[in-house]
Amino acid sequence: MGIASMSADTAAVIGQLEEWGPRIGADSGAPLMSGRVLYQGQGVEVGIWRCTPGGWAIADRPDTESVLILEGRARITDATGESVELTAGSALVLPAGWSGRWDILDTVVKHYVTIAR
């Protein structure tokens, strides 16, 4: 795979997301997800993810995820209760084993990279 085949215009990619259905385990709202996997291999996945408002807990996440918020607003709360609001341009890393909560306040679009344990 060459560099040209890996490059993508962000707006074009966001416009071509696939419906992934409801977020399993949501305990508030009725969040619906869509996305597009841009790369998958050797324990790494890279993609674009969109989710409508709602919230859910995560316990002992199985992989490490790096996130860049492209659109929207979310609140991330860790197991100690510390929270941070994320907006366009916010970046964070959630390490394997992280426990906490996602609350999508306004539909979020994020670029993500996950790395398997």
Side-chain angles (χ1 to χ4, degrees):
M1 178 180 297
I3 291 175
S5 62
M6 294 188 311
S7 68
D9 175 80
T10 302
V13 171
I14 291 171
Q16 299 172 9
L17 300 181
E18 303 166 358
E19 296 302 319
W20 288 355
R23 174 61 165 94
I24 303 301
D27 56 19
S28 70
L32 296 174
M33 301 182 305
S34 57
R36 182 169 170 202
V37 175
L38 302 174
Y39 172 82
Q40 192 170 39
Q42 300 178 335
V44 174
E45 182 174 296
V46 178
I48 303 292
W49 176 85
R50 178 177 21 209
C51 190
T52 62
W56 58 89
I58 296 175
D60 191 25
R61 71 172 295 125
D63 51 21
T64 295
E65 180 179 31
S66 174
V67 172
L68 175 62
I69 303 296
L70 302 174
E71 297 177 3
R73 191 168 60 99
R75 183 175 45 252
I76 300 292
T77 306
D78 69 17
T80 70
E82 184 177 343
S83 66
V84 63
E85 190 167 303
L86 305 172
T87 58
S90 297
L92 78 149
V93 174
L94 300 172
W98 181 85
S99 293
R101 177 172 185 83
W102 274 92
D103 286 291
I104 307 298
L105 306 173
D106 296 315
T107 298
V108 162
V109 178
K110 72 178 183 180
H111 175 270
Y112 70 89
V113 178
T114 60
I115 303 168
R117 278 189 183 176

